[in-house]
Amino acid sequence: MADTIRLPDELGRLLKTQREAAGLSKKELAQRAGKVREVSYRLEDGDDVTVSSLFAVLSALGLGMRIEKVGLPTMQEVAARFSDDD
C-alpha cells in the first residue's frame, strides 16, 4: 500500500478500507485502539482528532505513517477532487 494522502477525507477513506479489510466494526477498532467509538467515526469522516488518537488507530490496524516530500497536486488530481464534491 502506497497511497499519497493530502486531505483528511482521503485519510478517512483509506482507514475505512483498512478497517473493513480487517473485518472490524468501528466500535471494535476503537476498542482495540483504546479510544471511544467517536474517534473511528471522526477519522473516517475526515474530521479532526488528536494526533495520539490517529496513531492509536493506525497501530490497532497494524499500520504506520511515513512522511515524505510530495509536489503539488496535478491539474487532473485537482479536477477529480472538485468533481468528487458534486
Side-chain angles (χ1 to χ4, degrees):
M1 177 177 59
D3 295 273
T4 299
I5 297 169
R6 293 186 176 110
L7 298 168
D9 64 312
E10 294 170 345
L11 176 61
R13 285 193 299 271
L14 178 65
L15 291 174
K16 180 180 181 180
T17 300
Q18 292 296 312
R19 176 183 59 76
E20 290 174 343
L24 297 171
S25 69
K26 291 177 183 177
K27 181 179 180 180
E28 291 168 329
L29 175 58
Q31 288 173 336
R32 284 189 181 193
K35 299 294 177 180
V36 296
R37 186 176 54 194
E38 181 184 357
V39 168
S40 297
Y41 283 93
R42 292 182 61 76
L43 273 169
E44 289 186 13
D45 288 342
D47 294 335
D48 290 341
V49 298
T50 64
V51 174
S52 62
S53 291
L54 171 59
F55 278 103
V57 168
L58 289 173
S59 179
L61 289 169
L63 301 173
M65 182 185 297
R66 179 185 312 187
I67 305 294
E68 56 189 52
K69 193 175 268 302
V70 296
L72 294 173
T74 66
M75 289 303 290
Q76 292 84 5
E77 290 171 325
V78 171
R81 171 70 176 121
F82 285 104
S83 69
D84 288 346
D85 287 342
D86 293 338

